[in-house]
Amino acid sequence: MSEKNRDGKRTARERLAVEREKQKAAEKRRRTLIVGASVVCVLGLAAVIGVVAANSGKNKSEKAGPVVVPSGAQGKDSLAIPVGKDSAKSTLTIWEDMRCPACQAFEVAYRPTLHELVDAGKLRIEYHLVRLIDGNLGGTGSLRGANAVACAQDAGKFRDYHDVLYTNQPKETDDAYSSNAKLIELAGKVKGLDTPAFQKCVNDGTHDSWVNKAHKAFQSGGFTGTPTVLLGGKNIYNDRTMTPAKLKQMVEAANHG
């Protein structure tokens, strides 16, 4: 065999060896990618399971526990928190959500008039607390806020704390009231409210089931949104001509009639 032929065969064997090494390396990379992808999928599935488990835990905690009625609650199934004298000739029924911006707008605009009429013994208000925004946007701020004002009712501080929460209400998309710590911090703005008993009530979600029951009553009542403000069975919030002055005039007329 000539030297030239031997060199040609040797070169061919070398090229074949190089190709085999390339194939081995490619196969190794392929196996690595498959294993890596499998690990990512497993981790991703674990993360999803973790989120579902966490949310399931939250839902269970929200639904758990007996219905504990706040002190002094009245009306059907004791779902109304009353403010004002029972002897008042006019009663305003308000369905509201502590996270609802329209509720805040109503409260801020009408608050001075409502306080004036209540303090004069001419108006009684029945507050019903619901959790509409929680259902629309997710979160628990409506529930936690409603439970907290119910806890304030136990302490005889409902109106003051109710007003504080609306004054400091976060944006609708900011579920800040889902934090019990935030609700307790705001209780510091009401003299005598931030006590161990109030903190325990807030942290334990003592009135959660009561709030959920009130929300079901809201749904079965056929109401379309919050706030729903009823005077004599009529939703005055839907009256575009309604103003604090007009409401005052109506209540005054009922007291003189």
Side-chain angles (χ1 to χ4, degrees):
M1 181 181 293
S2 68
E3 185 68 27
K4 183 177 181 180
N5 287 338
R6 282 197 299 270
D7 290 343
K9 289 183 179 180
R10 185 167 58 248
T11 302
R13 285 196 300 269
E14 289 173 351
R15 285 200 301 269
L16 182 60
V18 169
E19 288 299 320
R20 285 175 179 171
E21 288 300 320
K22 287 182 179 180
Q23 289 177 3
K24 287 181 181 180
E27 180 64 21
K28 185 176 180 180
R29 286 195 300 272
R30 188 179 70 84
R31 287 196 303 267
T32 301
L33 288 172
I34 291 173
V35 172
S38 299
V39 171
V40 169
C41 289
V42 170
L43 290 176
L45 179 60
V48 171
I49 293 172
V51 170
V52 171
N55 288 334
S56 298
K58 288 180 181 179
N59 290 334
K60 288 180 181 178
S61 66
E62 289 170 19
K63 295 178 182 177
V67 174
V68 179
V69 176
S71 176
Q74 298 177 359
K76 184 180 179 181
D77 295 329
S78 299
L79 296 178
I81 293 180
V83 173
K85 296 179 181 178
D86 292 341
S87 59
K89 292 186 178 181
S90 295
T91 298
L92 198 66
T93 301
I94 302 177
W95 295 82
E96 62 185 11
D97 185 321
M98 302 311 298
R99 194 178 164 190
C100 162
C103 297
Q104 183 202 42
F106 170 80
E107 287 290 341
V108 171
Y110 282 79
R111 181 183 296 163
T113 300
L114 296 182
H115 284 190
E116 178 187 345
L117 294 171
V118 166
D119 293 343
K122 298 176 181 179
L123 179 67
R124 181 174 179 272
I125 305 176
E126 293 183 348
Y127 287 97
H128 297 260
L129 308 172
V130 302
R131 49 177 313 192
L132 195 63
I133 306 301
D134 285 355
N136 292 344
L137 296 180
T140 59
S142 302
L143 174 63
R144 301 263 53 79
N147 173 69
V149 291
C151 293
Q153 169 67 11
D154 291 339
K157 305 284 185 179
F158 172 84
R159 188 170 88 169
D160 290 345
Y161 185 61
H162 165 273
D163 291 353
V164 164
L165 288 195
Y166 275 121
T167 298
N168 293 275
Q169 186 192 71
K171 292 182 179 179
E172 186 179 14
T173 53
D174 179 1
D175 196 23
Y177 283 172
S178 64
S179 167
N180 289 335
K182 178 64 175 179
L183 295 167
I184 291 171
E185 174 191 333
L186 289 173
K189 295 180 178 291
V190 179
K191 185 177 180 180
L193 178 58
D194 188 8
T195 64
F198 174 79
Q199 293 179 15
K200 186 176 189 305
C201 182
V202 171
N203 286 322
D204 289 353
T206 299
H207 300 297
D208 282 2
S209 295
W210 176 81
V211 175
N212 286 329
K213 188 173 182 179
H215 186 70
K216 288 180 180 178
F218 173 80
Q219 292 174 316
S220 63
F223 303 120
T224 57
T226 54
T228 293
V229 185
L230 307 174
L231 183 66
K234 179 183 178 181
N235 189 354
I236 64 171
Y237 185 75
N238 290 337
D239 182 354
R240 294 187 179 183
T241 67
M242 186 59 60
T243 62
K246 184 176 179 178
L247 174 60
K248 181 179 179 179
Q249 185 179 28
M250 294 169 68
V251 172
E252 294 279 8
N255 276 269
H256 291 308

